């Protein structure tokens, strides 16, 4: 049984990798007490306990108690608790108890709802957690990347993210992208040589791979020497911990917070000044001002946001859309441009080999044999075209032995395999027809070789005509060529010259049946799809025409290469189809769209898609994508389907719509009530409402809003992308807030003149009225249109009406007296019903006016 390793734990992080990687492979095995067969599950578990999770920067998870206590660090909560302590000292035990009870209830409710939503999101993230292929108990298996330990043997393939620092023990044409460590954009080839003379720069060690890098092509096996913070990347990450770029959602929340902060500040200053001028008791004035600040502050906003987005994420998961970051939901719903390749989205992605044709357009066993040898010996990421070739019956490949591989890259658009046959080396090249043709000087027909004239020549044009005609019919083609070379240790791209053109591999990838309708639905809902394909323009145009995706023209990558950024910004607005596009050009297209103020979603699943997934506002990948693509994406689709993506976008809009409802409620009705209290404080000889009553009113109001995440959203709202509009929130606060103040002042008049109310009756009457108006207004604000045509959810209806009933009944219960309430006369409720009805009617009128102005402004600014 292997025991835990000793040395690496005793040295700093970067030195752990450095020290071990400079040793020979047998020495590394000895130090790590492992071998090429890896670890057992039991030993891996022991090492995981000792060294911790494989995370570059350890995430500290607080206990539930710590998370709950953190809610009490809110400055307003601390001030309230301090005030309750003073109340106890002054003998106001009842007031202090009520304040403490309300604070405890609020924080408990906040914690319970937030914790539940966070657990939901963590469970969803676990479904798409990154994994690594590791050798445990002698078997290869996928395990969560966090559970890797020093001594594990891992397998690496093209598209994988390197999960830890490791020493290579087997390589096959392994090329690694190390830009995260070195800044060098070109991939580095890894080799097993160089045990004794490793360079000073750790990232340049040829026989080592490092956390934070990715496999571009080839394959290999490696033994892990360091994990987590002991890796070279972990050492960097510990000093460069940065939060992710601020999303539009986070930016909107921050601007909203500033708006509330400014309003609260001026309101509190006003109350304190009035209290001093009016010679109100200082402690009473401060406590009242604090209570007003709490009443205006939407302290449940983080909870409502988390719960709303969490439930949105759960609904999206039911539609096969997994959200890695909650904040991405709003951006997902805001997408108005979706960029995607055609394969797997417009077409089925179930590619099959239609035929292998010679240059006489007859089936050619020779073309298929060469193509099969190329695909079967390829060690990089196998494309669907390779899979289609290998799915065919195996030809006779005995007598062929692989010598070398020249990996595919997106500049050459070629892949070459060198095999030995008898006493000669045969270089077999397959790739994009135009790329292969450019390297050919000869062609083979009926077993005989003939000179191939250059572009414009008869034979060259005949070969070009074959793939152009088939491409126009929607087929994808790869050209196959070969060359005989002497046997030698290695080969390079310089050998991809003077090739013999053999023929074409023809593939069919049928269009999905529902794509045309889904594209129409996306357009109807404000999302324009743009196809950015690496395939040739003939195939791309044919497929797009089949699904009625219109574009004035097809723009090729070579055209983009010649365009300035300014010209490209104009082109991307008009053109919907781009073909023969490289990864760098994809990035330029996305950046140009963002300059035009579009919210851009990019859907990709390949190695070359990672940069574009990072650049887009929303990176979207699929569960079957390579590691680098899934890691770069913020949204993962469990099914590669535009229909699934469309449903996810609509769910994102619904979640954002419910967050906005809470913000509009919190700023309009709360501001109106706080404005009324501040105004009443000026002329009343007593407090318009006790501080404890304000806090209770605020708690009941917030309790009514916790079901907003369950509410239905107007169909019209989800029909177009939605964005933050702080101006709309501010207008709601300024115009709708004072409407409630009109009815508050009317209530003051009724209580003082009609009912001749004393202090307790006044407090009770206004408490019930303010709670009813600010709570019931949700039925008006929750919809842009007619509230009678938009049904609220049952939970929202129950909590809203339930809270109003609680407020009305509370003064008649034994709790009424300790809270400073007294029973209200029956006539009061007649006036209350009348005022609430008129109030809601006026809010509906003003809301309609605001929305019309907003719509007219949007039209004028287009």
């Amino acid at each position: 049984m292997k025991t835990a390793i000793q040395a690496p734990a005793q040295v700093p992080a970067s030195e752990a990798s450095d020290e071990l990687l400079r040793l020979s492979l047998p020495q590394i095995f000895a130090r790590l007490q492992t071998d090429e067969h890896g670890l057992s599950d039991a030993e891996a578990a022991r090492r995981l306990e000792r060294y911790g999770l494989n995370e570059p920067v350890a995430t500290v998870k607080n206990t539930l108690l710590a998370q709950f206590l953190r809610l009490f660090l809110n400055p307003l909560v601390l001030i309230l608790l301090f005030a309750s302590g003073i109340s106890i000292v002054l003998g106001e035990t009842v007031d202090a108890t009520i304040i403490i009870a309300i604070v405890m209830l609020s924080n408990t409710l906040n914690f319970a709802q937030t914790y539940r939503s966070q657990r939901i999101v963590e469970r969803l993230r676990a479904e798409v957690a990154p994994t690594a292929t590791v050798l445990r108990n002698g078997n290869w298996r996928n395990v969560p990347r966090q559970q890797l330990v020093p001594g594990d043997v891992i397998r690496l393939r093209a598209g994988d993210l390197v999960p830890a620092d490791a020493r290579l023990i087997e390589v096959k044409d392994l090329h690694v992208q190390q830009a995260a460590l070195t800044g060098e954009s070109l991939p580095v080839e890894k080799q097993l040589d160089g045990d004794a003379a490793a360079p000073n720069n750790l990232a340049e060690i040829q026989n080592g791979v490092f956390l934070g890098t990715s496999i571009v092509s080839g394959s290999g096996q490696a033994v892990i020497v360091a994990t987590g913070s002991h890796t070279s990347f972990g050492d960097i990450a510990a000093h460069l911990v940065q939060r992710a770029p601020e999303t539009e959602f986070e930016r909107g929340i921050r601007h909203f917070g500033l708006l509330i902060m400014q309003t609260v500040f001026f309101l509190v200053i006003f109350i304190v000044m009035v209290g001093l001028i009016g010679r109100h008791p200082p402690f009473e004035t401060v406590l009242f001002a604090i209570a007003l600040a709490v009443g205006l502050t939407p302290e449940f906003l983080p909870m409502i946001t988390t719960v709303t987005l969490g439930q949105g994420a759960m609904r999206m998961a039911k539609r096969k859309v997994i959200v890695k970051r909650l904040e991405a939901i709003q951006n997902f719903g805001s997408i108005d441009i979706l960029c995607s390749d055609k394969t797997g989205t417009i077409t089925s992605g179930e590619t099959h080999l239609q035929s292998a044709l010679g240059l006489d357009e007859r089936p050619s066993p020779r073309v298929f044999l060469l193509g099969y040898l190329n695909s079967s010996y390829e060690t990089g990421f196998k494309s669907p075209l390779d899979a289609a070739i290998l799915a065919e019956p195996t030809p006779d490949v005995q007598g062929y032995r692989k010598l070398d591989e020249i990996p595919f890259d997106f500049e050459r658009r070629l892949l070459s395999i060198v095999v030995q046959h008898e006493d000669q080396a045969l270089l077999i090249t397959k790739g994009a027809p135009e790329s292969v043709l450019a390297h050919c000087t000869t062609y083979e027909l009926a077993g005989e070789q003939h000179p191939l004239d250059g572009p414009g020549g008869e034979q060259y044009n005949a070969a070009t005509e074959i793939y152009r005609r088939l491409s126009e019919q929607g087929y994808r083609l790869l050209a196959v060529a070969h060359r005989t070379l002497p046997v030698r240790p290695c080969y390079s791209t310089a050998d991809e010259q003077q090739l013999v053109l053999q023929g074409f591999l023809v593939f069919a990838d049928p269009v999905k049946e529902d794509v045309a309708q889904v594209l129409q639905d996306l357009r109807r809902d404000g999302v324009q799809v743009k196809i950015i394909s690496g395939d040739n323009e003939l195939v791309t145009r044919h497929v797009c025409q089949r699904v009625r995706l219109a574009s004035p023209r097809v723009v090729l990558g070579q055209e983009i290469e010649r365009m300035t950024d300014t010209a490209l910004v104009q082109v991307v607005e008009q053109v919907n189809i781009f073909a023969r596009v490289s990864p760098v050009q994809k990035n330029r297209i996305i950046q140009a769209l963002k300059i035009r103020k579009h919210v851009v979603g990019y859907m990709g699943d390949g190695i070359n898609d990672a940069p574009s997934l990072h650049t887009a506002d929303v990176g979207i990948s699929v569960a079957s994508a390579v590691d680098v693509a899934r890691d770069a994406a913020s949204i993962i689709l469990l099914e590669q389907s535009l229909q699934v993506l469309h449903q996810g976008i609509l769910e994102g809009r619904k979640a954002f719509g419910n967050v906005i409802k809470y913000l509009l409620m919190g700023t309009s009705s709360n501001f109106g009530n706080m404005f009324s209290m501040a105004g009443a404080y000026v002329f009343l000889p007593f407090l318009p409402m006790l501080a404890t009553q304000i806090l209770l009113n605020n708690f009941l109001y917030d309790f009514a809003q916790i079901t907003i995440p369950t509410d239905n959203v107007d169909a019209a709202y989800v029909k177009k992308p939605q964005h933050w509009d702080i101006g709309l929130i501010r207008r709601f606060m300024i115009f709708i807030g004072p409407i409630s103040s009109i009815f508050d002042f009317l209530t003051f008049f009724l209580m003082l003149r009609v009912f001749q109310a004393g202090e307790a009756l006044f407090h009770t009457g206004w408490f019930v009225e303010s709670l009813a108006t600010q709570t019931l207004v949700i039925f008006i604000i929750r919809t842009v249109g007619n509230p009678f045509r938009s049904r609220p959810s049952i939970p929202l209806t129950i909590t809203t009406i339930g809270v109003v009933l609680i407020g009305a009944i509370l003064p008649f219960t034994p709790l009424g007296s300790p809270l400073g309430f007294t029973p209200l006369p029956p006539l009061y409720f007649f006036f209350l019903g009348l005022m609430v009805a008129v109030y809601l009617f006026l809010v509906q009128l003003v809301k309609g006016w605001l929305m019309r102005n907003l719509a007219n402004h949007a039209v004028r600014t287009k």
Side-chain angles (χ1 to χ4, degrees):
M1 179 66 68
K2 302 176 181 69
T3 57
I5 61 176
Q6 302 296 325
Q10 311 300 323
V11 293
S14 60
E15 293 181 16
S17 290
D18 196 312
E19 177 186 350
L20 283 171
L21 287 172
R22 293 176 192 281
L23 300 177
S24 67
L25 192 54
Q27 289 174 318
I28 290 176
F29 280 144
R31 287 282 294 273
L32 295 176
Q33 299 188 20
T34 187
D35 56 34
E36 65 274 10
H37 302 297
L39 303 175
S40 67
D41 285 335
E43 177 59 26
R46 280 192 288 271
R47 297 191 185 195
L48 185 65
E49 181 71 22
R50 177 169 184 175
Y51 298 109
L53 294 175
N54 178 31
E55 297 176 332
V57 180
T59 54
V60 180
K61 288 193 174 182
N62 296 308
T63 63
L64 295 181
L65 179 61
Q67 294 177 46
F68 178 68
L69 293 177
R70 184 178 287 112
L71 296 174
F72 290 87
L73 297 180
N74 183 302
L76 292 175
V77 171
L78 291 174
I79 293 172
L80 283 173
L81 294 176
F82 178 74
S84 64
I86 295 177
S87 296
I88 293 173
V89 172
L90 296 177
E92 302 289 341
T93 309
V94 174
D95 286 351
T97 303
I98 292 171
I99 292 173
I100 293 172
I102 292 172
V103 169
M104 288 296 296
L105 283 171
S106 295
N107 283 352
T108 300
L109 184 62
N110 194 336
F111 171 77
Q113 292 285 334
T114 304
Y115 174 73
R116 178 174 172 272
S117 293
Q118 288 174 341
R119 287 292 300 273
I120 290 172
V121 174
E122 288 174 5
R123 189 169 68 248
L124 294 177
R125 285 176 181 163
E127 294 185 22
V128 291
T131 60
T133 305
V134 62
L135 190 59
R136 295 269 178 88
N137 290 342
N139 297 313
W140 291 106
R141 66 178 73 163
N142 288 330
V143 301
R145 213 178 294 165
Q146 288 183 324
Q147 296 179 14
L148 296 179
V149 294
D152 266 329
V153 173
I154 57 174
R155 185 163 62 194
L156 301 169
R157 293 179 181 270
D160 288 349
L161 288 169
V162 177
D165 286 4
R167 165 62 192 268
L168 291 166
I169 57 179
E170 179 183 307
V171 294
K172 292 182 180 178
D173 304 299
L174 190 68
H175 288 73
V176 180
Q177 175 60 263
Q178 298 189 142
L181 290 181
T182 66
E184 176 57 52
S185 61
L186 296 177
V188 175
E189 184 173 6
K190 295 293 181 175
Q191 301 173 356
L192 295 182
D193 301 332
D195 288 347
N200 292 327
N201 187 344
L202 188 65
E204 294 177 1
I205 294 178
Q206 288 186 329
N207 54 24
V209 289
F210 305 93
L211 178 68
T213 64
S214 60
I215 308 301
V216 175
S217 62
S219 62
Q221 294 180 19
V223 57
I224 293 177
V225 300
T227 59
S229 59
H230 290 276
T231 61
S232 52
F233 185 78
D235 197 29
I236 296 170
H239 296 88
L240 299 176
V241 178
Q242 297 179 351
R243 40 173 297 138
E246 187 179 50
T247 66
E248 186 187 11
F249 183 85
E250 292 169 324
R251 186 162 53 250
I253 290 289
R254 178 168 55 82
H255 289 164
F256 174 76
L258 291 173
L259 173 65
I260 293 297
M261 186 186 303
Q262 293 167 356
T263 307
V264 167
F265 175 78
F266 288 112
L267 184 63
V268 169
I269 292 296
F270 174 76
I271 292 296
V272 172
M273 289 179 60
V274 169
L276 293 175
I277 295 172
R279 298 185 180 182
H280 290 275
F283 178 70
E284 182 183 84
T285 298
V286 172
L287 192 59
F288 181 70
I290 294 170
L292 278 182
V294 173
L296 184 58
T297 304
E299 67 274 18
F300 273 24
L301 177 59
M303 183 268 285
I304 292 289
T305 300
T306 302
V307 172
T308 303
L309 297 182
Q311 292 195 3
M314 187 167 59
R315 288 194 300 270
M316 290 167 72
K318 292 178 180 178
R319 297 183 179 274
K320 301 182 180 181
V321 180
I322 304 298
V323 180
K324 288 170 60 179
R325 290 183 62 205
L326 279 183
E327 298 79 8
I329 290 180
Q330 191 269 325
N331 273 1
F332 195 42
S334 299
I335 290 174
D336 62 343
I337 296 287
L338 174 65
C339 298
S340 175
D341 191 3
K342 61 179 177 56
T343 305
T345 51
I346 291 181
T347 62
S348 67
E350 299 173 358
T351 306
H352 66 272
L353 182 64
Q354 184 79 8
S355 59
L357 301 179
L359 296 179
D360 56 2
E361 297 190 60
R362 296 177 181 177
S364 170
R366 174 71 170 166
V367 171
F368 177 67
L369 173 65
L370 294 177
Y372 192 94
L373 286 169
N374 183 288
S375 293
S376 62
Y377 283 124
E378 178 189 353
T379 59
F381 175 72
K382 293 189 183 298
S383 72
L385 303 184
D386 291 307
I389 294 171
L390 298 178
E392 297 295 315
T394 305
D396 182 9
V397 294
Q398 293 184 0
Y400 293 92
R401 182 176 66 86
K402 181 179 177 181
L403 295 177
D404 201 2
E405 176 175 355
I406 307 172
F408 178 86
D409 68 56
F410 293 95
E411 299 302 323
R412 289 167 37 250
R413 307 180 70 83
L414 302 174
L415 167 69
S416 295
I417 298 292
V418 184
V419 295
Q420 183 174 351
H421 183 57
E422 297 176 349
D423 58 348
Q424 287 187 317
L426 180 65
L427 182 144
I428 306 169
T429 299
K430 80 174 190 300
E434 60 269 36
S435 299
V436 173
L437 272 168
H439 292 78
C440 292
T441 56
T442 310
Y443 71 94
E444 185 171 312
L445 189 62
E448 296 183 2
Q449 295 185 5
H450 308 276
L452 179 67
D453 44 21
E458 181 180 351
Q459 297 302 327
Y460 190 96
N461 287 347
T464 301
E465 175 60 24
I466 294 173
Y467 86 76
R468 288 186 64 87
R469 180 163 28 83
L470 291 172
S471 294
E472 287 174 348
Q473 297 172 23
Y475 293 108
R476 299 183 66 183
L477 276 77
L478 293 177
V480 177
H482 61 88
R483 178 187 182 188
T484 301
L485 293 166
V487 175
R488 58 176 189 259
C490 62
Y491 300 84
S492 69
T493 55
D495 294 307
E496 295 176 326
Q497 306 297 331
Q498 298 180 343
L499 301 181
V500 179
L501 180 63
Q502 189 70 46
F504 300 99
L505 297 167
V506 183
F507 302 87
D509 185 7
V511 172
K512 291 182 179 179
E513 293 181 0
D514 64 340
V515 168
Q517 182 60 49
V518 176
L519 289 174
Q520 183 179 335
D521 293 342
L522 283 166
R523 282 193 296 271
R524 179 199 65 207
D525 293 337
V527 180
Q528 178 63 52
V529 175
K530 293 183 183 291
I531 296 300
I532 306 178
S533 177
D535 210 341
N536 72 61
E537 70 277 15
L538 303 174
V539 178
T540 306
R541 180 187 287 113
H542 174 84
V543 170
C544 291
Q545 286 174 346
R546 288 278 306 277
V547 297
R548 300 194 296 276
L549 180 61
S551 180
R553 63 188 176 109
V554 177
V555 173
L556 302 181
Q558 60 189 22
E559 297 179 62
I560 296 173
E561 196 66 34
R562 296 192 295 267
M563 288 183 192
T564 64
D565 290 339
T566 304
L568 184 60
V569 166
Q570 301 301 319
V571 169
V572 295
E573 193 72 35
Q574 305 299 326
V575 175
N576 293 328
I577 304 174
F578 300 86
R580 285 299 185 208
V581 178
S582 70
V584 173
Q585 292 161 354
K586 288 182 182 180
N587 248 350
R588 287 189 64 199
I589 292 170
I590 293 171
Q591 289 168 345
L593 288 167
K594 291 175 71 173
I595 290 173
R596 298 283 295 189
K597 304 301 181 185
H598 291 292
V599 178
V600 183
Y602 180 80
M603 187 172 176
D605 60 0
I607 301 171
N608 62 316
D609 290 314
S612 298
L613 289 166
H614 275 296
T615 302
D617 294 292
V618 186
I620 307 160
S621 193
V622 292
S624 59
V626 298
D627 282 356
V628 288
R630 286 191 295 131
D631 187 71
S634 52
I635 302 288
I636 303 292
L637 304 183
L638 299 183
E639 179 182 320
Q640 191 167 4
S641 163
L642 282 180
Q643 180 66 47
V644 168
L645 186 143
H646 180 215
Q647 294 300 322
I649 289 175
L650 299 185
E651 288 295 344
R653 292 177 186 176
K654 291 176 184 177
F656 181 61
N658 281 333
V659 171
I660 293 298
K661 289 177 189 177
Y662 179 78
L663 299 183
L664 294 177
M665 284 284 294
T667 49
S668 57
S669 59
N670 275 14
F671 176 76
N673 278 328
M674 299 309 107
F675 181 77
S676 301
M677 288 186 189
Y681 191 64
V682 174
F683 64 83
L684 283 177
F686 50 81
L687 289 177
M689 196 182 293
L690 298 178
T692 53
Q693 294 168 346
I694 295 174
L695 296 176
L696 178 61
N697 182 293
N698 186 59
F699 171 74
L700 290 174
Y701 164 78
D702 279 334
F703 183 80
Q705 309 309 304
I706 64 171
T707 52
I708 281 181
T710 70
D711 192 26
N712 304 316
V713 179
D714 289 349
Y717 187 88
V718 299
K719 291 299 181 185
K720 60 181 180 179
Q722 301 296 333
H723 305 279
W724 272 98
D725 188 351
I726 292 298
L728 174 64
I729 296 173
R730 185 184 294 111
R731 286 191 291 273
F732 257 75
M733 183 175 72
I734 293 173
F735 288 100
I736 291 183
I739 296 177
S740 66
S741 296
I742 294 172
F743 291 89
D744 288 337
F745 289 125
L746 182 57
T747 302
F748 298 164
F749 176 81
L750 290 172
M751 299 310 296
L752 294 174
R753 299 298 183 187
V754 176
F755 298 107
Q756 302 296 314
E759 188 172 340
L761 186 60
F762 183 93
H763 291 164
T764 306
W766 190 29
F767 176 89
V768 173
E769 181 270 336
S770 66
L771 184 62
T773 53
Q774 71 173 337
T775 305
L776 292 174
V777 78
I778 183 63
F779 295 125
I780 306 298
I781 291 179
R782 59 169 295 278
T783 175
V784 174
N786 188 331
F788 293 105
R789 295 178 182 172
S790 176
R791 291 185 178 181
S793 68
I794 293 176
L796 180 63
T797 303
I798 291 173
T799 55
T800 302
I801 295 177
V803 161
V804 174
L805 291 176
I806 289 172
I809 295 171
L810 194 59
F812 299 92
T813 67
L815 291 174
S817 182
L819 290 168
F821 296 136
T822 188
L824 291 161
L827 184 60
Y828 167 84
F829 291 100
F830 170 77
F831 285 117
L832 176 64
L834 187 62
M835 285 191 298
V836 168
V838 177
Y839 166 66
L840 297 181
F841 176 73
L842 285 178
V843 170
Q844 173 65 18
L845 290 179
V846 175
K847 180 195 72 176
W849 173 75
L850 283 174
M851 291 303 176
R852 284 193 298 273
N853 280 355
L854 182 66
N856 292 336
H857 175 72
V859 170
R860 288 195 301 269
T861 55
K862 279 187 178 180

